[in-house]
Amino acid sequence: MSHPHPELGPPPTLPDGGLRIVALGGLGEIGRNMAVFEYDGRLLIVDCGVLFPEPDQPGVDLILPDFEYIRDRLDDIEAMVLTHAHEDHIGAVPYLLRERRNIPLIGSKLTLALIEAKLSEHRIQPKKLEVVEGERHVFGPFDCEFLAVNHSIPDALAVAIRTPAGIVLHTGDFRMDQLPSDGRLTDLGGFARLGSEGVDLLMSDSTNAEVPGFVTSEREIAPVIDEVIRTSEQRVIVASFASHVHRIQQVMDAAAKHGRKVALVGRSMVRNMGVARDLGYLKVPPELIVDSRDIEEWPPQDVVLICTGSQGEPMAALSRMANRDHPIRIAQGDTVLLASSLVPGNETAVNKVINGLTRWGARVIHKGNAKVHVSGHAAAGELLYVLNLTRPSNFMPVHGEWRHLRAHAKLAALTGVPDDHIVIAEDGVVVDLVDGRARIAGAVHAGYVYVDGTSVGEITDTSLKDRRILGDEGFISVVVVVDSATGKLTAGPEIHARGSGIDPAQFDEFIPQIERALEDKAADGVVDMQEIRRVVRRTVGRWVSDTYRRRPMIIPVVVEV
């Protein structure tokens, strides 16, 4: 079983006839999925998604893949295949298209419609090619065959990439729901046919590799949603991903059955459901939808609201309702249904929202206390099924954290894939498929690129460290005025503190220590302003640490005269 090593260096030149695969995201994490395939100097990209920030990344809106590896080769990109329209697979597309606007986007009807709606907000008109399952299209040296897969959003696709180096089957996100609400099954026959032809490398979704058995059918959720809406005496507020068309269809069906009106809340929810309805993926009964601005005019027992915010996102509608920062006010007796999975890392934020909603008198129903969600990702039994159908010569688990990747690798070994043909990589690790063998060949940089408002890539890990310190410990600024010729103190020190929890009166007793430290440096002939700043920072830092056992950010300001 091959795995990355921290000392991996840059990869050598790709051998003639070899296929190179570099994941710029999606390995060792849930999100930011992006894989770059290279053959004969040409590139094919599969997905280009975002990762959502965790609590220790304050102020960050989104995390993008680092495009540095391909930045000098944008003209070599033949196309970008989008397997489906979840944000962790398409959210970074606008940022890549800013660097080359005419990269062809390849995807299903719904996928392209949702990305086009997103791109319109960035004033980008994409070049696109709509494909359906069963079709094959050639992009430079890449012969791509598209296969239907069932997922928690309609129109998801797997892609088989043929080059002279062999066949790579990339499943995208998938599950094997045998009774899908839209009737669209994962194309197991197509997987088996490819297995007979010879899959040289299988890249398969690992998100649920630790979960035994098979995922429950989406149809089993409908009766639970129906029961919640039937028995609720006041408003029902359903929080879901803005792309989960199947789940929202179930909510609308139950609302219509029980005579309730539906209001969509949240820009992305309104946009995506409008696209899904226009394309026929969402069936909306006549006069069911009402404007959310008019919702107060309807009796509470006649209303269902569908909003964003199931992951506790601070600016999403549900979080704002919980914080009393939204026009829609949670009232005693309201029912809130969280109809989504819990993305790892969001537990604290979601629990905070649940507590906030409960505080205002709402009954909160979630995956922990009712069967209101089934996963869109194949469990171990389904992954074994695909491994046995495709019988890959080489296997590379993708889309998951480390524990998911390793669990999936063990499943592959159980089905007979030799250990030395199983490649566990992480973001930036270069995998070459040469002469029928997949091996790690090196590594390239594949760090995080942070989006903060309109800023892209300007926020660094150092900036985030500073933000965490400011948030946890506060800051102390110290202003001193020194003689530029002698280094002697001429005015100050003047100390200001915010969020440090230190009584300002205590600084009066400490100021003489700063004065003595500066006098000693001046006596030694030190006139370098940078060194004087260091003296102030060290002196203040030592005193705060010894006295309060705290480590606030210390900002020395030295003014020369």
Side-chain angles (χ1 to χ4, degrees):
M1 189 178 294
S2 179
H3 60 86
H5 189 278
E7 301 303 321
L8 282 173
T13 302
L14 179 62
D16 290 342
L19 176 70
R20 174 160 289 175
I21 303 124
V22 181
L24 298 183
L27 300 186
E29 60 194 0
I30 302 291
R32 215 169 59 117
N33 298 290
M34 182 178 182
V36 180
F37 295 81
E38 177 180 356
Y39 185 85
D40 195 24
R42 306 301 293 173
L43 305 179
L44 178 77
I45 296 173
V46 174
D47 291 329
C48 187
V50 296
L51 182 67
F52 293 101
E54 297 187 3
D56 64 348
Q57 294 161 329
V60 174
D61 299 319
L62 297 170
I63 304 171
L64 309 178
D66 189 342
F67 302 140
E68 190 60 34
Y69 171 64
I70 58 173
R71 185 159 281 123
D72 294 335
R73 303 187 58 191
L74 295 174
D75 290 337
D76 295 337
I77 299 172
E78 294 285 353
M80 179 161 28
V81 173
L82 304 174
T83 59
H84 64 283
H86 279 150
E87 285 295 301
D88 59 334
H89 291 257
I90 67 168
V93 170
Y95 299 93
L96 182 56
L97 291 190
R98 286 181 187 179
E99 305 200 23
R100 181 189 152 195
R101 288 181 172 245
N102 66 342
I103 298 174
L105 305 183
I106 317 301
S108 64
K109 179 188 289 187
L110 181 62
T111 300
L112 291 180
L114 291 178
I115 188 61
E116 192 168 18
K118 175 186 289 290
L119 289 172
S120 66
E121 297 179 1
H122 293 260
R123 295 186 173 87
I124 297 174
Q125 182 60 44
K127 179 179 179 182
K128 59 189 189 298
L129 172 65
E130 181 183 314
V131 297
V132 297
E133 55 265 27
E135 289 185 352
R136 285 176 68 166
H137 294 268
V138 176
F139 310 104
F142 306 100
D143 180 349
C144 297
E145 179 181 354
F146 299 94
L147 301 97
V149 290
N150 179 257
H151 188 39
S152 54
I153 186 172
D155 256 8
L157 294 169
V159 57
I161 303 168
R162 291 176 171 87
T163 66
I167 298 175
V168 177
L169 174 58
H170 192 304
T171 67
D173 287 352
F174 80 101
R175 64 183 173 190
M176 287 167 50
D177 189 342
Q178 297 304 297
L179 295 170
S181 47
D182 62 356
R184 189 171 179 270
L185 296 164
T186 293
D187 186 3
L188 300 180
F191 284 4
R193 173 176 48 78
L194 288 167
S196 298
E197 188 176 340
V199 173
D200 295 279
L201 175 64
L202 173 64
M203 300 172 66
S204 184
D205 176 16
S206 306
T207 309
N208 269 349
E210 292 183 309
V211 179
F214 283 63
V215 169
T216 304
S217 173
E218 182 77 27
R219 291 190 180 215
E220 295 196 18
I221 303 302
V224 181
I225 293 174
D226 184 271
E227 179 70 8
V228 168
I229 292 176
R230 184 185 67 81
T231 59
S232 297
E233 297 179 356
Q234 303 270 4
R235 290 181 303 185
V236 177
I237 301 167
V238 180
S240 175
F241 290 122
S243 56
H244 203 331
V245 178
H246 298 318
R247 190 66 45 78
I248 291 165
Q249 182 71 68
Q250 291 173 325
V251 174
M252 287 189 172
D253 290 345
K257 177 181 175 181
H258 297 292
R260 291 183 181 243
K261 297 293 184 182
V262 172
L264 301 174
V265 182
R267 185 181 63 176
S268 58
M269 181 67 72
V270 172
R271 180 191 67 202
N272 287 3
M273 291 309 107
V275 170
R277 179 174 56 183
D278 291 344
L279 295 179
Y281 293 94
L282 187 69
K283 311 296 184 185
V284 182
E287 300 181 358
L288 178 70
I289 302 291
V290 297
D291 195 304
S292 61
R293 290 170 294 188
D294 302 329
I295 206 67
E296 300 297 339
E297 299 176 9
W298 294 87
Q301 66 271 19
D302 293 342
V303 169
V304 173
L305 297 113
I306 303 176
C307 69
T308 54
S310 61
Q311 301 303 307
E313 306 95 312
M315 296 308 294
L318 194 66
S319 296
R320 293 173 57 203
M321 291 179 200
N323 294 329
R324 277 289 200 262
D325 183 31
H326 194 279
I328 295 170
R329 296 281 188 166
I330 298 295
Q332 183 75 32
D334 285 346
T335 297
V336 178
L337 174 63
L338 302 181
S340 292
S341 62
L342 185 58
V343 174
N346 291 346
E347 293 87 354
T348 300
V350 172
N351 287 331
K352 182 178 178 182
V353 170
I354 291 173
N355 280 319
L357 295 167
T358 305
R359 176 187 179 190
W360 305 119
R363 175 178 65 134
V364 183
I365 298 171
H366 53 87
K367 188 180 178 182
N369 59 23
K371 194 169 188 61
V372 292
H373 176 73
V374 294
S375 178
H377 301 271
E382 297 159 84
L383 298 177
L384 286 168
Y385 204 102
V386 169
L387 281 159
N388 285 324
L389 278 178
T390 57
R391 302 189 300 280
S393 302
N394 300 273
F395 177 69
M396 179 176 169
V398 296
H399 301 177
E401 297 175 341
W402 271 103
R403 58 196 178 102
H404 306 129
L405 302 180
R406 291 203 176 276
H408 204 173
K410 288 180 180 178
L411 296 177
L414 289 173
T415 65
V417 181
D419 279 355
D420 59 351
H421 288 240
I422 299 172
V423 177
I424 301 180
E426 61 185 331
D427 295 341
V429 168
V430 178
V431 177
D432 287 351
L433 179 64
V434 180
D435 296 330
R437 283 291 305 277
R439 294 183 176 90
I440 288 174
V444 300
H445 180 71
Y448 284 178
V449 174
Y450 300 107
V451 178
D452 183 356
T454 59
S455 163
V456 179
E458 297 173 19
I459 301 300
T460 64
D461 287 328
T462 301
S463 305
L464 291 181
K465 181 180 178 181
D466 289 345
R467 289 181 179 184
R468 287 192 292 271
I469 292 172
L470 286 169
D472 293 340
E473 305 283 354
F475 78 92
I476 298 172
S477 66
V478 184
V479 182
V480 296
V481 181
V482 299
D483 187 310
S484 59
T486 64
K488 291 184 177 180
L489 184 69
T490 62
E494 186 176 315
I495 303 178
H496 303 275
R498 292 289 185 275
S500 64
I502 300 174
D503 183 354
Q506 299 298 314
F507 292 131
D508 294 338
E509 301 176 11
F510 168 63
I511 283 175
Q513 293 185 37
I514 303 176
E515 293 172 339
R516 283 194 298 273
L518 291 175
E519 287 171 4
D520 291 345
K521 284 296 176 181
D524 292 340
V526 174
V527 295
D528 178 66
M529 294 301 115
Q530 190 65 27
E531 178 61 26
I532 291 172
R533 289 188 190 93
R534 279 194 288 267
V535 170
V536 173
R537 182 182 290 111
R538 282 198 299 265
T539 305
V540 176
R542 190 180 306 115
W543 175 76
V544 173
S545 177
D546 292 345
T547 307
Y548 294 96
R549 295 294 185 266
R550 302 202 65 181
R551 299 185 66 182
M553 181 175 289
I554 298 167
I555 306 172
V557 180
V558 179
V559 180
E560 299 177 68
V561 295

